[in-house]
Amino acid sequence: MRLNKTSGILLLLAMTVVTACNHKDKKTEARAREVFKGLYSFAPGAKLFQFCGGQSQYWAADSSAQLELKYSQLINFEQSGTQVYAEVEGYKTKSATNGEAAAYDSTLIVKKVIKITKDIPEGCK
């Protein structure tokens, strides 16, 4: 009997963990649909995004695993740090307090790359 009670508790605990892990935060999902247009540059220790018409730079966290890849296909390693025009889907969040992103107030979490090109539109220079 004791084994069945323990098994039941463990099963209930496992179901709770699985349910909690599968729960999606609706605010995060809604923010993920926002499109940002601006200048992106990548260099060792600097993954930066600057919105068109803005002066502030944001740390860019590439959760899509496509932004850095597509950047490297456009820009030679010797030219790293060169700005390109990018349109991405994601959301802004407060930067971590440690690591490379800590030097920036906010981080842009990139969920999807819509467009990336060397051709920078006139209104975004």
Side-chain angles (χ1 to χ4, degrees):
M1 184 72 172
R2 179 177 246 181
L3 182 59
N4 287 339
K5 191 174 188 180
T6 303
S7 297
I9 291 172
L10 288 175
L11 180 61
L12 182 61
L13 180 60
M15 288 174 40
T16 302
V17 169
V18 169
T19 302
C21 290
N22 288 332
H23 175 69
K24 293 183 179 179
D25 181 84
K26 290 182 182 183
K27 288 181 182 178
T28 299
E29 288 298 313
R31 290 186 300 196
R33 292 186 208 114
E34 193 170 351
V35 175
F36 298 97
K37 299 176 182 182
L39 303 175
Y40 173 73
S41 62
F42 174 80
K47 302 171 188 179
L48 306 176
F49 196 94
Q50 181 177 343
F51 302 123
C52 289
Q55 297 296 321
S56 299
Q57 290 186 323
Y58 295 79
W59 183 261
D62 182 19
S63 69
S64 74
Q66 292 297 304
L67 186 59
E68 292 173 25
L69 174 66
K70 290 181 179 192
Y71 179 87
S72 69
Q73 292 170 345
L74 287 175
I75 303 296
N76 295 332
F77 180 74
E78 296 83 27
Q79 298 173 313
S80 67
T82 301
Q83 290 183 321
V84 297
Y85 175 76
E87 293 178 8
V88 298
E89 190 175 276
Y91 61 93
K92 293 185 287 185
T93 188
K94 187 169 175 59
S95 290
T97 56
N98 56 3
E100 296 171 320
Y104 301 89
D105 290 336
S106 296
T107 295
L108 175 62
I109 308 294
V110 176
K111 301 297 251 175
K112 178 181 176 184
V113 177
I114 299 168
K115 177 180 182 178
I116 185 166
T117 179
K118 287 182 182 180
D119 301 324
I120 301 172
E122 189 62 40
C124 197
K125 293 182 179 183

